[in-house]
Amino acid sequence: MSTAGLPNLGNLALSRKEDFKAFAEAARRDQPEVLNRTQLNALSEPARAEYDSRRRDWHANLGPIKTPQLAKVHDDLWDIVDSNQQDGDKAKGAVACVPRNSGVLESLPR
């Protein structure tokens, strides 16, 4: 349950190549195991504090939830990307038409 080997990703400036590299190469966060009330009460105070900290970190960094609407947006975007075979000097624009409240802004990298 220790997080000693994980880098601190909380204060990275992704505009710097060193920070972006650290972010891109960092291991994925592991979801803390789900404990029932009895298991939680059996934890020592330091172990409970560490468990709670890992849960807060996990929930604060969930990322986009993969809904059916998001899957459709990704399929549409892959169709656009896959059809983009022209040379770089012949750039063309692409538009994905999606319904409102479909989560498209959450699916695009920022």
Side-chain angles (χ1 to χ4, degrees), residues 92-104:
K92 65 178 181 181
V95 176
C97 297
V98 294
R100 296 181 75 189
N101 299 322
S102 64
V104 69

Side-chain angles (χ1 to χ4, degrees), residues 9 12 14 18-27 29:
L9 299 178
L12 295 180
L14 297 182
E18 297 84 2
D19 288 349
F20 184 81
K21 182 178 181 194
F23 173 75
E25 293 179 351
R29 283 184 171 87

Side-chain angles (χ1 to χ4, degrees), residues 33-44 48 51:
E33 82 178 273
V34 178
L35 302 179
N36 63 33
R37 179 67 58 192
T38 306
Q39 293 168 317
L40 285 173
N41 290 337
L43 293 175
S44 67
R48 177 64 187 260
Y51 177 78

Side-chain angles (χ1 to χ4, degrees), residues 3 8 11 13 19 30 40 42 45 54 62 64 72 76 82 92 101 104:
T3 58
N8 180 6
N11 294 320
D19 288 349
D30 291 327
L40 285 173
E45 190 171 323
R54 291 186 67 223
L62 280 177
K72 182 175 179 350
D76 291 345
D82 288 342
K92 65 178 181 181
N101 299 322
V104 69

